[in-house]
Amino acid sequence: MPNEPGRENRHFIQQIIDSDRASGRVPGEIVTRFPPEPNGYLHIGHAKSICLNFGLAREYGGRCHLRFDDTNPETEDMEFVDSIKEDVRWLGYDWGKHLYFASDYFEQLYDFGEKLIMLGKAYVDSQSMDEIRATRGTVTEPGTESPYRTRSAEENLDLFRRMRAGEFPDGAHVLRAKIDMAAPNMLMRDPLLYRIRHAHHYRSGDTWCIYPMYDMAHPLEDAIENVTHSLCTLEFEVHRPLYDWLVSAVCEPPRPHQYEFARLNLDYTVMSKRKLLLLVKGGHVDGWNDPRMPTIAGLRRRGIRPDAIRAFCDMIGVAKSDNRVDVSLLEYAIRNDLNAEAPRVMAVLRPLKVVLTNWPEGQTDMVEAPWWPHDIPKKGTRQVPFAREIYIERSDFMEDPPQAFHRLSPGAEVRLRYAYIIRCDDVIRDADGTVRELRCSVDLESRSGTGKNASRRVKGTIHWVSAAHAHRAEVRLYDRLFSEADPERVEGSETFLDHLNPDSLEIIPDAYVEPVVAEAAPGTRYQFERNGYFYLDPTFAETNTPVWNRIITLRDTWGRRSKAQTASDTTPNRASEARPGKPSSSPVGHTPNPLSGLDAAGERRAHGLVDEFDLPLESAAVLAGSHMLETWFRSAVAEVGPPPSSIANWMVQELRPLLADANSDSDRDLERIPITPDQFRKLVELHHRDVLSSRLAREVLSDMITSGEPPEAIVTRRGLEQISDKAALSTVMEAVLAAHPDRVAAYRDGKKGLIGFFMGQVMQKTGGKANPQMVREMLETELERA
RNA sequence: UGCCCCAUAGCUCAAUUGGCAGAGCGUCGGAUUCUGGUUCCGAAGGUUCAAGGUUCGACUCCUUGUGGGGCAACCA
């Protein structure tokens, strides 16, 4: 959702796509894909990905593929393919003709395997699984190369073909990429590409006995389909170098790129397929579509509409930081959607009988009740029978109510919604003292709409049903499945199952609904007034008793207040719990050691630079960290010219960040840029002599990197000399101040931060050429003159 | 412990790419209301993880820390 009015808020992937289009990197259609493995049901976390991928395609007029990533024959099934298709469609998205299966690419993927072998980029390894594991090394130690790594291309090809032909048992050989067994990224230590698996695949049957691994299949599938932006979750970040390696090894230029975003975590729920399966298998829920489950099927059966899910996904945004979304956000999306979609009716969940003593026995009145409240622009009414005996909600009566309670109590009056005002005269009790029934008198002139006293106001309005006309219905009340915000956070021998909420389901077999509700078709959504939104569960369509699932309660400021009073001191404050990213105590007195990243030799070099050139230790440490940097620095320094510390400073602070182009080692790029150390020194000199402000010098530097021209040439070509003429600057400044009298006043009123705004304006008006020191001084003296 | 990623209001995210720290949700008030709902109005809430550095100016760039997450399946 837009954060700033008037300016659409673009998340980082949209920004990437925008710039890809602007720069021409992606001239054609934007192509994304949603790539589930058909081995489980989709959940609300997948919904985030679906909304992202299909939403982007819709937004940019591109397309989104639905691709089943079915490369593991042992876990996948057609049942899941069907349910996933249903769920995506239900969410409101359409893949058109772009339905794909990894299993349809097996032949092409195999050809890529042969190609890699021919290129010398892959080999058949005949070590056992254990040997491969053991020689992979650890995160701190490099792995060792397989003895089979040097097999000839011919031998590899022969072996790979025979693997395909079924000559070998499972595990006898694998195809591995030949990359680097010492790579710090474990994924690059000759990752497995193909394994032998004599297993029946639900689509390809027994055609294949070798299957590609994810790292082989996924990037190449993207390339085959001309996907432009391949979006996945954060845990695949470390796979990206491998993705790039593979794609650039065997594919032609228009190539896909992978970007990673944070998966959704929701309070009071679990999201992994494995844990959801455990809930189902263990009988803790009623199946994959239990209305308490975060599965799409569960949300659907709960009665939530797809519009609400999409709105929710819009609200949570897309970013790269781990998150745990507060349920109130989901609840808001659901209520906000249903408010204008669910007609209002009356139902009493926990009945208390009320006899209206002055209402004639046997007389039935029909009152007219609108389907919608006044503030929803929809029309229509229905008739509701009103008679001598009615049911009201047990919780709407209190014998000894607190001050703020404005429902029924002895002697008090309430309005029965759409009907009459009643007064409680008598309370009838059972032998054990519990209230069995109320005797009330009706103000016969107070009938809603038509009565003489229709406009008489009483404090409360409650809902009701006529006892003789009401229908019975089963109602199921759902609460959160877990009692802990983060059920996966366990101690000792606990599992997430220990955090199950025992009260997550309450079945009320004998609620009463007004007659019209009994005619509802399965799948109908109503608001039971003052109780919440309910959904007639279609899975019970066959049975005689209708089952209404409570989708969600109404927002309840009263219940919240009374609960807060009783429970405030026992409920732990969320803020006080340890949260990721928030240090519990801030360390003090720490002095940073710039040398800490260096080995002994590096430290010596750094100190050498300090002694020789009088550099600050920080700059020296950075330069000493890379041989290339240090050499470059030494050749940039000259007898005449700016002090070495300035050159070092500019290298560390300005040059290096400019080199940091996506996925490359910036310090190594130093030799590839068209800037000579001599030219660089001249640039620093221009800044040092105050010909260029730091801002302009930065501008020139980035120009140098792209154009390769010497700094003076760029300055002349673009007319970038700094403006230090007081009169000229004054004119610009006056114009800026005159154009924004309100801000000038605000500044003089104490909002000193506005100096940045004025500076920005002046710099913009002068094309960044104004001498910032002078401008700032002039602005300050001018603005202080009140 | 090696490499990679992340850190802005209670929660989820912005901040025109170095120029006034904002939005939605939540919280608390007020108005409206025949739903203690909705709608409308308002308020509180910030050492931008910390320290140092660069800069006229840093949420943004550099350094070092801290905290959190990911990576050592023939899963995806």
Side-chain angles (χ1 to χ4, degrees), chain A residues 32-47:
Chain A
T32 57
R33 102 270 92 110
F34 175 63
E37 183 188 13
N39 69 346
Y41 284 83
L42 259 31
H43 53 64
I44 192 166
H46 293 110

Side-chain angles (χ1 to χ4, degrees), chain A residues 594-664:
Chain A
L595 258 22
S596 68
L598 299 174
D599 57 15
E603 283 192 27
R604 248 177 284 123
R605 283 200 306 277
H607 282 117
L609 286 167
V610 171
D611 295 341
E612 188 177 348
F613 298 104
D614 195 25
L615 299 187
L617 187 58
E618 268 199 22
S619 309
V622 174
L623 296 179
S626 148
H627 187 68
M628 181 87 54
L629 272 182
E630 183 176 348
T631 316
W632 212 84
F633 166 73
R634 284 177 179 278
S635 44
V637 173
E639 290 290 317
V640 288
S645 62
S646 290
I647 294 176
N649 191 17
W650 270 79
M651 277 185 71
V652 172
Q653 302 285 342
E654 308 296 346
L655 180 58
R656 231 163 44 105
L658 286 179
L659 301 178
D661 207 19
N663 55 31
S664 70

Side-chain angles (χ1 to χ4, degrees), chain A residues 334-446:
Chain A
I334 296 169
R335 291 193 183 108
N336 197 38
D337 172 55
L338 255 18
N339 181 38
E341 291 298 328
R344 316 293 137 118
V345 294
M346 292 192 288
V348 173
L349 269 32
R350 295 179 177 87
L352 173 60
K353 192 184 195 183
V354 173
V355 177
L356 304 172
T357 48
N358 62 336
W359 188 268
E361 204 126 7
Q363 179 182 321
T364 300
D365 203 356
M366 294 303 280
V367 300
E368 187 174 48
W371 288 112
W372 306 96
H374 64 279
D375 52 359
I376 285 173
K378 293 186 176 177
K379 294 269 171 289
T381 61
R382 84 271 178 194
Q383 299 294 315
V384 184
F386 182 84
R388 190 165 195 267
E389 293 194 356
I390 60 171
Y391 293 120
I392 66 167
E393 207 71 60
R394 215 156 240 288
S395 57
D396 281 337
F397 172 77
M398 269 184 109
E399 276 207 273
D400 189 17
Q403 191 90 88
F405 186 83
H406 42 257
R407 280 114 78 174
L408 246 202
S409 55
E413 281 187 316
V414 283
R415 174 169 293 280
L416 297 173
R417 189 136 162 96
Y418 310 126
Y420 297 83
I421 293 170
I422 59 170
R423 175 193 307 276
C424 175
D425 303 319
D426 258 317
V427 180
I428 315 273
R429 283 188 186 74
D430 278 333
D432 64 357
T434 56
V435 176
R436 196 183 66 212
E437 126 181 8
L438 264 26
R439 295 292 166 105
C440 299
S441 47
V442 182
D443 174 354
L444 296 167
E445 303 294 339
S446 66

Side-chain angles (χ1 to χ4, degrees), chain A residues 1-10:
Chain A
M1 285 280 100
N3 274 350
E4 278 176 34
R7 182 178 183 81
E8 203 191 348
N9 186 2
R10 322 275 300 153

